[in-house]
Amino acid sequence: MFTVEEMNLIQAMDHTCRRMSIFDMKTSIPNIEDAELKVLCERTLRKVSAMTDADFAAIDFAVYEEEKNE
């Protein structure tokens, strides 16, 4: 459902719940100057917004956190 880039973006935001992730992305978009990053954020925001809270909660972010720490 999400690309690696989208998962990294979600991970960089407050991903404690879907609503906080959406809020962080919405408030970040106006401040993003890089066009590619802005497109990525807008696309990810659409995907997260279309999900249910239960689907978002089922995402295992620990897998991505472990890769970051290696």
Side-chain angles (χ1 to χ4, degrees), residues 1 4 9-11 14 18-19 21-22 25-26 28 30-31 35-37 49-51 53-54 63-64 68-70:
M1 170 166 225
V4 172
L9 179 65
I10 295 169
Q11 181 106 18
D14 181 348
R18 185 180 72 94
R19 291 180 182 175
S21 185
I22 290 170
M25 283 186 262
K26 280 185 176 179
S28 296
N31 301 316
E36 282 185 48
L37 183 56
S49 296
M51 299 177 80
D53 290 336
V63 172
Y64 297 93
K68 248 184 171 176
N69 293 331
E70 291 180 356

Side-chain angles (χ1 to χ4, degrees), residues 3-61:
T3 65
V4 172
E5 291 82 9
E6 291 166 344
M7 286 301 294
N8 286 334
L9 179 65
I10 295 169
Q11 181 106 18
M13 303 289 173
D14 181 348
H15 59 277
T16 54
C17 70
R18 185 180 72 94
R19 291 180 182 175
M20 284 307 301
S21 185
I22 290 170
F23 175 79
D24 270 3
M25 283 186 262
K26 280 185 176 179
T27 57
S28 296
I29 288 172
N31 301 316
I32 298 173
E33 294 180 9
D34 182 80
E36 282 185 48
L37 183 56
K38 187 174 266 194
V39 168
L40 173 66
C41 195
E42 289 168 343
R43 182 179 68 228
T44 307
L45 175 61
R46 283 192 302 273
K47 287 184 177 183
V48 172
S49 296
M51 299 177 80
T52 65
D53 290 336
D55 287 340
F56 187 84
I59 298 172
D60 183 7
F61 288 104

